[in-house]
Amino acid sequence: MLYSLSDSLTSQIVSEIPNGKESIRLKLNLGDAYSIFANQIRRGFTENGIEIMSSDTNDTNLLEMNIVMDNAGVEYGELDRSGWFGDYYAPRTVFISGNYFTSNTANPLSDYFISVTDTIRVKDINTLENESFAFTRGQIPTEPFFSSIWEPVIAIGIAAAAIILFFSIRSQ
C-alpha cells in the first residue's frame, strides 16, 4: 500500500514537469526510516519517461528535483464487527507526506500529503505490518468491552433456554 502512495507521488510530480523536459537530476532526502521508497520513486520516474541523470552531470538545463519525505505511517480507526459472531474490522489510513523542490518552475516548492483509506480484518494486521519498519505499525484500538461481553452472555442464555425447553417439553 505504501509503495502505491509513492507511485502516486511520482505521478503527481511528473505531471508538473514542464513539457520538453525529459531528464532530471534527482536527489532523495528520505532519511534512514523511509529509504525503502528510493527505488520505487526512481522506477516511477523512469516508467513515466523521465530519465534520471547522474548528480555529476554538468548540464545546466536539467531540472533539479529534490524530494523530502518527512512522515509516513498507518493509523487505525474504531473497531467494528461484521455480524454477531463475525470478525472485527478496522478502518486503516496509510499516508506519506513531505515536500519536493523543482528548479526552474513557477512553483518550485510544493508540499504533499497522500493517503488512502481501506478496511481490514483485525486478524490480518500482523501480516500487513512489517516489523522491520516502525512506520508500518499503527496503534490498534482495543476491542469494545460491551460487545465482547454480550456475545457470550447471549450464547449462554440461548443454550440455557434450549435446555430448559428440551426438559420441560420432554416431561409433558
Side-chain angles (χ1 to χ4, degrees):
M1 180 75 63
L2 285 161
Y3 284 139
S4 67
L5 296 179
S6 66
D7 289 340
S8 296
L9 172 63
T10 54
S11 294
Q12 176 182 333
I13 294 171
V14 166
S15 71
E16 297 174 9
I17 293 177
N19 291 335
K21 298 288 186 178
E22 296 173 357
S23 300
I24 61 169
R25 188 175 298 127
L26 180 63
K27 183 175 180 185
L28 299 173
N29 292 312
L30 306 176
D32 290 336
Y34 309 125
S35 62
I36 64 166
F37 294 109
N39 289 337
Q40 191 76 13
I41 291 171
R42 286 185 185 99
R43 183 183 66 86
F45 281 111
T46 56
E47 283 184 351
N48 282 293
I50 304 296
E51 183 180 7
I52 300 172
M53 304 301 287
S54 170
S55 61
D56 59 350
T57 303
N58 292 330
D59 187 354
T60 57
N61 282 338
L62 280 179
L63 278 180
E64 296 205 22
M65 179 72 58
N66 185 0
I67 300 174
V68 176
M69 187 176 297
D70 56 22
N71 199 6
V74 177
E75 294 176 350
Y76 297 103
E78 293 298 316
L79 298 182
D80 191 25
R81 182 168 277 200
S82 67
W84 279 92
F85 298 103
D87 291 330
Y88 279 106
Y89 287 85
R92 173 181 70 160
T93 302
V94 181
F95 63 90
I96 60 173
S97 66
N99 61 66
Y100 57 92
F101 176 84
T102 310
S103 65
N104 302 326
T105 58
N107 186 14
L109 183 63
S110 298
D111 293 325
Y112 66 87
F113 180 85
I114 302 170
S115 68
V116 67
T117 301
D118 61 0
T119 302
I120 60 169
R121 219 169 49 169
V122 172
K123 288 181 184 178
D124 297 338
I125 288 177
N126 288 335
T127 60
L128 297 172
E129 295 180 340
N130 187 332
E131 291 296 319
S132 300
F133 300 102
F135 64 89
T136 65
R137 297 186 308 269
Q139 180 67 32
I140 303 169
T142 58
E143 184 178 321
F145 178 73
F146 287 112
S147 70
S148 62
I149 289 279
W150 284 112
E151 286 182 5
V153 168
I154 291 170
I156 291 169
I158 290 172
I163 291 170
I164 291 170
L165 286 173
F166 176 75
F167 285 111
S168 66
I169 291 173
R170 187 173 175 187
S171 65
Q172 291 179 358

